[in-house]
């Protein structure tokens, strides 16, 4: 769904007689922030893909036990908020291709790593 929305944005941005080029590069970044942080330098984990990630919603649980040792203090996280940043990558520098970057910034809180947390239903947001 996000890719479809990005294509719509790209088509509206271009002149009507220009088609979306097949080689337009889309990059997807899922940036998980440490609990209580919103600083780009304080990301707990960053995933990068050429395909969209499945959506994360407020209240979803993230199991960080398989991530880097820096995440060891945060084994189970709850999504507090999701922020989307869509930007154009500059066509200068080492990668002259340019493209579009969709960043999903995931803000979290630490929750108890137990069955009670996992089995408690979350209110629909």
């Amino acid at each position: 769904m996000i890719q479809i929305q990005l294509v719509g944005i790209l088509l509206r941005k271009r002149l009507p007689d220009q088609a979306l080029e097949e080689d337009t590069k889309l990059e997807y970044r899922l940036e998980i922030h440490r609990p209580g942080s919103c600083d780009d330098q304080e990301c707990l984990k960053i995933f990068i893909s050429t395909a969209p990630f499945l959506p994360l919603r407020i209240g979803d649980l993230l199991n960080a036990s398989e991530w880097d040792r820096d995440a060891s203090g945060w084994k189970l996280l709850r999504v507090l908020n999701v922020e989307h940043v869509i930007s154009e990558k500059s066509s200068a520098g080492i990668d002259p291709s340019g493209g579009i970057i969709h960043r999903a910034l995931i803000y979290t809180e630490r929750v108890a790593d137990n069955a009670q947390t996992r089995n408690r239903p979350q209110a629909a947001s």
Side-chain angles (χ1 to χ4, degrees):
M1 179 165 90
I2 292 172
Q3 188 170 8
I4 293 169
Q5 291 171 341
L6 284 175
V7 169
I9 291 168
L10 291 172
L11 288 175
R12 284 192 299 275
K13 183 180 173 196
R14 297 175 187 274
L15 296 175
D17 61 338
Q18 291 178 315
L20 179 63
E21 298 173 16
E22 287 294 318
D23 63 346
T24 298
K25 293 190 178 195
L26 298 175
E27 177 181 299
Y28 300 90
R29 296 173 58 98
L30 187 61
E31 302 179 13
I32 313 296
H33 285 264
R34 292 180 188 278
S37 172
C38 62
D39 184 0
D40 285 345
Q41 303 303 316
E42 292 292 320
C43 278
L44 190 58
K45 186 74 175 172
I46 299 175
F47 298 95
I48 300 173
S49 176
T50 57
F53 293 97
L54 292 174
L56 292 174
R57 293 180 173 82
I58 295 171
D60 283 354
L61 296 175
L62 296 175
N63 186 324
S65 64
E66 298 293 319
W67 299 350
D68 301 335
R69 64 176 176 212
D70 290 341
S72 62
W74 299 282
K75 291 188 177 188
L76 192 61
L77 303 169
R78 178 176 291 123
V79 175
L80 291 178
N81 210 346
V82 179
E83 179 180 351
H84 297 272
V85 179
I86 300 173
S87 60
E88 292 183 306
K89 187 192 298 187
S90 172
S91 59
I94 296 173
D95 182 7
S97 62
I100 304 292
I101 301 173
H102 175 212
R103 296 171 55 207
L105 312 178
I106 311 299
Y107 301 103
T108 64
E109 69 177 344
R110 185 183 338 196
V111 294
D113 185 10
N114 58 35
Q116 182 181 1
T117 301
R118 287 182 172 84
N119 292 322
R120 184 176 54 216
Q122 296 297 314
S125 54

